[in-house]
Amino acid sequence: VLPIREEANHTFSGQAADICGHRSAIHTGECTYDATPPEVEVCVKDADYFIPYRSYQYFGKKKFVISITAKDTVSGARTLSYYLKEEGQGGLPEESSVLFQKEKENVRTDDLSEYTREIVIDQEDFKGRIYVQAGDFAGWKSAEAESPGLILSSWAVHQKNSRILLELSEADYTDEDRKIKYYRYPIVVTAKGENSHAGVGV
């Protein structure tokens, strides 16, 4: 019994000998001890604008490019999966979309420690987040990581969801028939902007 305590890819060799001095051929084996889940990172690229919202930090009018990286230095990154969840959508999808799943070939010659893939979100009027998870060859799965909030808006949705309200200070006299207000002093005009999708900017 060979106790293995260090997380790594191990190689071990053995040979038997009899009382007469004859020795067997040397036999070699390999094993991987990986007790740590992989790591996963989400990065938003090519955002048109940055808005300092606490929950929805990225705003675009055309598309988002999302870069996802899985890292595992011991047994190697094997899978990357993701799903999109829109604001107000209840529950989770039944199945995540798998970005890749690699079969292990040779851990000593192939660099399996890191994989990066990109996906494009071009779904019109999307408002939500992307959730990703990585798996390694030892069977561990990373904690689920999420992107900051994303708002992808077309001009049409802004025209549909945006409006401005103008309020005038009380008039000295109003002609109800002609719908005209008369003032003898400076007028205070209050403008209120509303947008139910992406918020109001000045």
Side-chain angles (χ1 to χ4, degrees), residues 109-124:
T109 60
D110 296 345
D111 183 7
L112 306 175
S113 62
E114 181 175 318
Y115 275 105
T116 298
R117 292 292 185 271
E118 291 184 349
I119 64 170
V120 177
I121 299 178
D122 55 5
Q123 180 179 334
E124 188 174 273

Side-chain angles (χ1 to χ4, degrees), residues 38-65:
E39 298 177 357
V40 62
E41 299 174 354
V42 187
C43 177
V44 182
K45 302 169 62 178
D46 300 338
D48 289 338
Y49 299 103
F50 173 79
I51 306 178
Y53 287 166
R54 182 176 296 276
S55 57
Y56 286 88
Q57 295 182 358
Y58 294 94
F59 167 63
K61 297 194 293 287
K62 295 181 180 179
K63 65 180 180 179
F64 285 114
V65 178

